[in-house]
Amino acid sequence: MCGIVGYTGYRDAFPVVVKGLKRLEYRGYDSAGIALHNQSLHVYKKMGKVADLEEHVVGKNISGKTGIGHTRWATHGEPSDRNAHPHLSASGKLAMIHNGIIENYNQLKQELLQKGYQFKSDTDTEVLLNFIDEIKENNHCSLEEAVRIALKRVTGAYVILLVEQDAPDTILAARKGSPLVIGVGKGEHFLGSDASPMLEYTKEVVYVNDYELAIIRPDELILKNLGNEVLTPYVQKLDIELAAIEKGGYDHFMLKEIFEQPQTIYDCLRGRLDAHKNKITLSGIEQYAKEICNANRIIMVACGTSWHAGLTAEYIFEECCRINVEVEYASEFRYRNPVIHPGDVIIAISQSGETADTLVAIENAKAKGAIILGVVNVVGSSIARISHAGAYTHAGPEIGVASTKAFTAQLAVLSMIALKIAQLKGTMPAERISALLSELEEIPGKVQQILSDTTGIESIAKKYATARDFLYLGRGYNFPVALEGALKLKEISYIHAEGYPAAEMKHGPIALVDDQLPVVFVATRDSYHEKVISNMQEIKARKGKVIAVVSEGDETAINLSESVMTVPVCDEMLAPLLTVVPLQLLAYYIGIARDCDVDKPRNLAKSVTVE
Ligand code: M6R
C-alpha cells in the first residue's frame, strides 16, 4: 500500500519519479506528490491520481536532479491535498514520504504538541517527520542520527524516504515491515516499493531489510543497521523485462494477465513437471520433504485470493497426501495465539510476498518452531526471504489489482507439491498420480481453449451487468472457485456478490433468491455433479437466473441454465485451474460494462502492507 519512488543522479528527477509513480499506482491512488531538490525543497501534491499531479505542476518549476514521490492509499486522514505526501517538516528543512503505519503516532504527537508543534495534516507521517526534525534540531545532530534515534521509539511499519534542504543530492531511506528496493546505476540511484520504477534504467538492485537505513547519493550507497554498523549491500540482478510490466496492447492489465495464463501456468510447470517420467522436481520443497511427510498437519496461511488458493489446496492435499490441512486467514491467525508445535508445516501463499498479515503470521509461527514454506510470486520479497524454503510461482509481475494469473500459478504449484508428497508418502495409487501429472501438463492448452473465444462471456456480462447482487455456488474443489468468482466481481464491478458451498445455500442464502438474482454455479462434471444439478433445480424452481460454468457437452447442466460458460473436460482435482478463468472474465467484462476502472478499483490497493 502506498507507492514510493526516489531518484538521485544526473537526470531530471521529475520525469523519472512520475513514470515510476505511474508504475506503482496499483499500490494506491488516493493522492500523489513529489518533492524535488533544486536549490531548495519544492513540494507538489494533489488529491487523485498521478495524472492529476502532472496537471497540477504545469507551469511550475519542476527541475532538480534529486526527488522523492508518493502515491497514497489513505490510512490516517481522508484522501485530500493536505494529507497527500510528501510532507514538509515544521522547520521546512525536511521533506518525507512514508508507506506503512506508525502505530504510536498519537503518543508522539502529544509530545510534539506540548513542545508547540502544529500539524497541517491528519497523517501519522507528518508526526514522525516532525519527531525526527525535533530530535535533529534539539540534539544538533545529523539527519541520519536523528532518524536512527527516532526509529528506536517508533512502533509499526514503515518505509520512509527523506530529502533535506542542506543535502541537495542525498536521499535517506529506512525500512521496517514495508518493501524497499534500491536500483544501482552508474552515477545514479533509484528507489521504489518494487523494482518496476527502475527497470528501464538498471537491473541491479538491493533489497533493503528491516531495521536498515540507507544513505543514497548519485555515486554512493551506504547501508547501515540502526546500530550504526555499516553493512555490505547485496546487489542482485533482476530477471524481469520491461514488457512484463506494460500493457502490451491490452486495454487493461487485468485482461492482459487473464490472457497470459496459458503461458504463466506453463512457466510455472516448466522444468518442474515431467509427466512422461512421472517426475516432479521442486528443489526448495524437497529439502523439507521428510518433515512434510512426517507432519501431523499443514497450515495454509494467506489473505484474499491467495487464501482461496489455500482453500483449494486443502482439498487437494487431503485427498493426495492424507495430511490434515487447516487454512487460516493470516489476519486472524497472527492474533489468536494459535497452537503451533515444532515441526508443524506452514505454507504461506502470497502473490506480492509483502502482505503484512501473512508476513507477521509466519514470523510468529517461525519463532514457535514451525517450518515455513513460501508459495510466492515476487522473487526476493519479504515472505520469500523469511520462509525456510518454498517454490516461486513464476507468474511474472501482476499489476492489475484483482489477482488472476497469480491464483492459477499458485494452484499449479500447490498441486505439484501435493502430488510430490503423495509420491513420497505413497498415499495415492501411482496410476492416479500419473494421470494427474499428465492432466496438469495439459492445463495450459485447455486454458488457451477457454480464452480462444470470449465473446459468449462478454455477452453474458452485458446481460447481467445491472444486477444488484450475485450468488456464486460450487461444491468440493469448485467451492473455493465460487468464493474467488464472487471476490473478483465485488472488487471490479462493486456489485455485491457472495460465494457459498452449493448445498449450504439451503441454510440461509436461498431466501435471497428471486427472479432478479443471478446465481452462478461452478458445475463441472465431478463427483458432486448430480448434487449440484439438484441445487441448480432448486434455484430454478425459485425463478433465480442460473448462469453456469459447465464441462463441454454437459447437456443436463446446459439445459438447466439461462447462460453457460463451457470449459474443457478435466480431472476434478485440477478443474479449478479452468473454472476460475470464465469467472475472471465475467467479472472483468461486467466491470467494463459498468464503466469501472478495473485496474484501479476504488478503495483497494494491490499490496496490503498495512494490517
Ligand atoms: O499479495 P497477496 O497474494 O498476499 O495478496 C493477498 C490479497 O490482498 C489479494 O489476493 C487480494 O485479495 C486481491 N485484491 C484479490 O484480487
Side-chain angles (χ1 to χ4, degrees), residues 464-510:
Y464 301 99
T466 53
R468 218 189 49 185
D469 308 280
F470 267 72
L471 189 58
Y472 283 71
L473 301 173
R475 290 183 90 148
Y477 295 104
N478 277 325
F479 158 53
V481 177
L483 296 182
E484 176 59 10
L487 176 63
K488 285 292 88 89
L489 188 72
K490 277 184 272 212
E491 286 186 288
I492 297 307
S493 71
Y494 317 142
I495 297 177
H496 166 245
E498 277 191 56
Y500 245 80
E504 186 66 19
M505 60 108 184
K506 283 201 280 294
H507 301 280
I510 199 164

Side-chain angles (χ1 to χ4, degrees), residues 271-292:
R272 291 167 161 175
L273 169 66
D274 186 338
H276 290 294
K277 292 188 182 152
N278 267 329
K279 200 163 180 248
I280 299 168
T281 314
L282 289 163
S283 32
I285 302 290
E286 277 159 39
Q287 297 171 52
Y288 286 92
K290 204 170 115 213
E291 286 82 352
I292 306 173

Side-chain angles (χ1 to χ4, degrees), residues 303-306 350-352 355 401-403 487-488 491 608:
C303 303
T305 288
S306 299
S350 175
Q351 187 288 126
S352 61
T355 299
V401 167
S403 190
L487 176 63
K488 285 292 88 89
E491 286 186 288
V608 185

Side-chain angles (χ1 to χ4, degrees), residues 477-478 522-530 532-533 549-558 567-573 575 579:
Y477 295 104
N478 277 325
V522 193
T524 42
R525 274 195 193 281
D526 55 20
S527 27
Y528 308 85
H529 189 245
E530 278 178 21
V532 177
I533 291 291
V549 177
V550 303
S551 307
E552 262 168 1
D554 179 1
E555 294 307 323
T556 317
I558 292 172
V567 296
V569 172
C570 170
D571 190 288
E572 63 177 16
M573 196 183 285
T579 50

Side-chain angles (χ1 to χ4, degrees), residues 269 273 275 432-446 568-575 577-578:
L269 303 177
L273 169 66
R432 173 99 176 100
I433 295 181
S434 172
L436 284 163
L437 295 183
S438 302
E439 182 79 67
L440 198 48
E441 223 168 45
E442 286 174 23
I443 292 291
K446 290 185 177 179
V569 172
C570 170
D571 190 288
E572 63 177 16
M573 196 183 285
L574 301 174
L577 281 155
L578 305 184

Side-chain angles (χ1 to χ4, degrees), residues 394-448:
H394 296 313
E398 191 182 66
I399 294 170
V401 167
S403 190
T404 53
K405 63 174 180 173
F407 178 73
T408 44
Q410 287 165 347
L411 289 187
V413 167
L414 290 162
S415 305
M416 283 191 284
I417 300 175
L419 290 166
K420 178 81 202 176
I421 301 303
Q423 275 182 333
L424 294 171
K425 282 188 81 176
T427 40
M428 193 175 233
E431 314 75 64
R432 173 99 176 100
I433 295 181
S434 172
L436 284 163
L437 295 183
S438 302
E439 182 79 67
L440 198 48
E441 223 168 45
E442 286 174 23
I443 292 291
K446 290 185 177 179
V447 174
Q448 186 59 56

